[in-house]
Amino acid sequence: QLVLCAEPGGGGWEPAAALMRRRCLRSSDVGVCPLCRKVVEYGVCCAACGGWFHATESCCGEALADAFLRSGREAWCCLNCAPRNEPPPATAAASEKTPAPAALTADLASWRHAFRLLADACGGCGRQIQLARRHVRCAQCDLAFHASEECTGLSAAKVEGACSDASWRCPTCLLHETGCTVPGGVIDEDVAKGKETRPIPIINEVDEEPLDVHLPGRSAITEFEYLPQVAWRHKRAIEQRARVPLADWGGRCIAHEACSWLPATDASRGRPVRREEEKSGGPAYNNERFLLYARDCIFECNSTSGCDESCFNRVVGRGISLPLQVFKTVGRGWGVRSRNPIRAGTFVCEYTGVMLRDEDAEAAGLEVDDSYLFNLDGEEKGQVAKRRKTSHEGPSGVDARTQDNPELCVDASRTGSVARFVNHCCDPNLFVQSVFVEYSRHVHRIALFAARDILAYEELTYDYGYVVGSVQDKTLACLCGAANCRGTLV
């Protein structure tokens, strides 16, 4: 809807075109901006005090956004007048005189968008659009862009096609509708093939590389099998699974004591051990299912608990709830992002694959891509990390490599979840949390949680936890680009 504003001394209300108009030269005081004390040649007028302001954030502040998002029947007031004065209603004649075009509704455009529409400014650089120059206009939001690679973000060939295409849509409109900034960028509607509660599309906005391309030492995405949970397929891993004790809570909900337990031991006969520190207990999540603190391990309610699926202590076991995307990065392969903002403590995804015994993974040699192995280190279940060690190394702990408690690892080289596409970063926005759901010892979920608030379409990353120098005669460069980048992974 259009925003109405009043002109001092004028007769009634006028449409939003008055927001960017020449001021009324009543006196020198009216023509000076109260904030910057400079003459206002074009600007906005407050309906309460009659003052003119430059239509900029520095002069109007948050009130500028309010001007373009208000209803057409309301007047605009500056920040000084808005809290103390109710704007007078607009006359019915003014409302009937100027119908509200759909392009200016708050549902279709932000106030910045509306400002550029009224000012006829480029949606890319923000400068004035000169009709004599070549430009392209979005058929959906009506924003104009200079016909250049810098303003449109398109290649020279695609800019030429957009100039002659009356149905061309800008990258912002495409992103809101399809989750991709280029036409045809969605190359697979769902990498999970319906195995998750929400589809996870594959996006390529970088090049024309097909999904069935084979990279050196890696398989194509088309040969990738999606697993929402860890699979037990190896014979010796299945035998080991039969010896893993289950977490049996006897019909009791542990929502308020999820952090009060440690993994089971031989002395506890498969039952979780209560922590000795009183302050270490309590719930793991709040009522909105956000993780409160990062812990060495936490326990979630399962089928043996007396609660239902609405219990706030059922998070990782419920699966992915965010609108995630697998997208092509520039120079770093595939990555993962979310279409919605993510709050700190939100569960993002679980690292899954085929469960293997550590010695079997090493025996596989080159048949297993080492970069997709995730270690579960003996009884120290909080110490989970991507695998980077050689076959001649010794055991990582006192309980490692024994018949009753062998080291386990998750192989996601050919099977796994969306987490296998999450890249490394030395300054990550995700972190790994060990979560016990079905079992009380040896086997836990490898869950990725948000370490901070994350913007929409920001790449999701976590620290792989590689130890520099852990592999002899081998280095792996880090391409994360963070300010505190270590330079190498191993």
Side-chain angles (χ1 to χ4, degrees):
Q1 295 178 352
L2 287 174
V3 182
L4 303 182
C5 69
E7 179 181 359
W13 301 87
E14 298 186 6
L19 283 173
M20 284 297 295
R21 57 178 297 180
R22 189 178 297 276
R23 62 177 174 83
C24 177
L25 297 177
R26 293 179 56 193
S27 66
S28 58
D29 292 337
V30 175
V32 175
C33 177
L35 272 296
C36 66
R37 308 306 299 174
K38 295 181 180 180
V39 176
V40 179
E41 193 70 18
Y42 291 90
V44 292
C45 179
C46 176
C49 65
W52 282 84
F53 299 78
H54 293 103
T56 61
E57 290 183 81
S58 59
C59 292
C60 293
E62 296 180 357
L64 184 60
D66 180 68
F68 289 102
L69 295 181
R70 273 185 176 274
S71 169
R73 295 188 298 271
E74 298 178 350
W76 178 80
C77 293
C78 65
L79 290 179
N80 291 329
C81 301
R84 299 188 298 270
N85 293 277
E86 290 292 335
T91 60
S95 300
E96 297 175 359
K97 177 181 177 181
T98 308
L104 293 182
T105 60
D107 294 336
L108 297 181
S110 64
W111 68 272
R112 293 180 185 273
H113 181 191
F115 176 82
R116 289 184 174 179
L117 282 176
L118 293 174
D120 199 21
C122 174
C125 65
R127 298 179 179 179
Q128 194 76 18
I129 290 288
Q130 298 179 3
L131 298 180
R133 294 183 58 185
R134 297 177 65 239
H135 64 277
V136 294
R137 190 173 295 273
C138 178
Q140 183 169 337
C141 68
D142 204 37
L143 268 182
F145 298 79
H146 291 119
S148 64
E149 300 181 28
E150 295 78 11
C151 294
T152 61
L154 305 175
S155 62
K158 292 184 178 180
V159 170
E160 291 295 330
C163 292
S164 58
D165 186 5
S167 62
W168 177 80
R169 290 180 296 173
C170 66
T172 301
C173 291
L174 284 173
L175 190 67
H176 290 326
E177 182 175 345
T178 66
C180 180
T181 58
V182 297
V186 182
I187 54 181
D188 194 325
E189 295 293 339
D190 187 11
V191 68
K193 307 303 180 185
K195 297 180 181 180
E196 296 286 2
T197 56
R198 307 186 67 157
I200 304 176
I202 301 179
I203 309 294
N204 189 351
E205 304 162 320
V206 179
D207 51 36
E208 305 296 332
E209 178 182 311
L211 282 178
D212 57 355
V213 65
H214 283 72
L215 299 178
R218 299 184 182 181
S219 58
I221 295 184
T222 53
E223 300 177 358
F224 169 72
E225 178 187 357
Y226 194 93
L227 292 177
Q229 295 185 13
V230 171
W232 300 75
R233 297 176 178 175
H234 199 275
K235 180 180 179 180
R236 298 220 300 171
I238 296 176
E239 295 175 353
Q240 175 64 24
R241 181 187 184 183
R243 295 191 290 267
V244 177
L246 300 176
D248 187 357
W249 302 107
R252 185 174 86 259
C253 176
I254 61 168
H256 294 282
E257 49 180 332
C259 297
S260 303
W261 303 94
L262 291 172
T265 62
D266 295 337
S268 67
R269 297 181 180 180
R271 299 183 63 84
V273 179
R274 184 175 290 275
R275 297 178 186 268
E276 296 181 358
E277 306 87 356
E278 296 182 359
K279 296 182 179 181
S280 300
Y285 310 102
N286 61 13
N287 293 333
E288 298 179 282
R289 294 191 173 94
F290 294 115
L291 186 67
L292 297 176
Y293 305 100
R295 305 299 298 267
D296 52 354
C297 67
I298 60 177
F299 283 80
E300 286 193 4
C301 296
N302 54 29
S303 58
T304 65
S305 303
C307 53
D308 55 18
E309 292 296 327
S310 62
C311 176
F312 66 85
N313 196 41
R314 296 174 182 261
V315 177
V316 179
R318 294 166 59 93
I320 298 175
S321 60
L322 295 172
L324 301 180
Q325 294 179 334
V326 176
F327 73 104
K328 186 69 175 291
T329 65
V330 179
R332 294 184 296 111
W334 299 96
V336 180
R337 66 190 184 189
S338 171
R339 296 188 63 175
N340 295 343
I342 304 176
R343 288 178 55 183
T346 302
F347 168 66
V348 177
C349 57
E350 177 187 353
Y351 195 95
T352 67
V354 176
M355 186 68 73
L356 296 175
R357 291 177 55 154
D358 185 80
E359 54 192 33
D360 295 331
E362 290 193 0
L366 297 178
E367 297 178 3
V368 178
D369 190 349
D370 187 62
S371 60
Y372 288 106
L373 286 177
F374 213 116
N375 284 344
L376 303 180
D377 295 333
E379 289 292 344
E380 298 295 331
K381 292 304 177 181
Q383 302 176 4
V384 288
K386 277 291 193 76
R387 176 191 179 86
R388 274 292 164 189
K389 58 185 179 180
T390 56
S391 59
H392 62 271
E393 287 184 314
S396 61
V398 294
D399 292 324
R401 297 187 182 278
T402 63
Q403 185 64 26
D404 294 333
N405 181 29
E407 285 189 357
L408 299 174
C409 59
V410 177
D411 173 27
S413 58
R414 297 183 181 274
T415 59
S417 66
V418 65
R420 79 183 292 273
F421 299 102
V422 179
N423 285 322
H424 162 83
C425 184
C426 298
D427 185 17
N429 49 28
L430 305 180
F431 68 94
V432 180
Q433 175 65 60
S434 302
V435 181
F436 284 90
V437 181
E438 302 92 349
Y439 305 98
S440 62
R441 186 180 184 182
H442 303 331
V443 181
H444 62 85
R445 304 283 189 98
I446 306 171
L448 297 179
F449 285 83
R452 57 171 174 82
D453 292 340
I454 304 174
L455 299 175
Y457 298 100
E458 179 182 353
E459 183 179 4
L460 305 178
T461 58
Y462 70 97
D463 193 336
Y464 284 0
Y466 292 161
V467 178
V468 178
S470 59
V471 182
Q472 296 180 358
D473 301 327
K474 184 176 182 180
T475 59
L476 182 63
C478 179
L479 305 176
C480 69
N484 61 339
C485 179
R486 298 188 291 267
T488 58
L489 290 177
V490 296

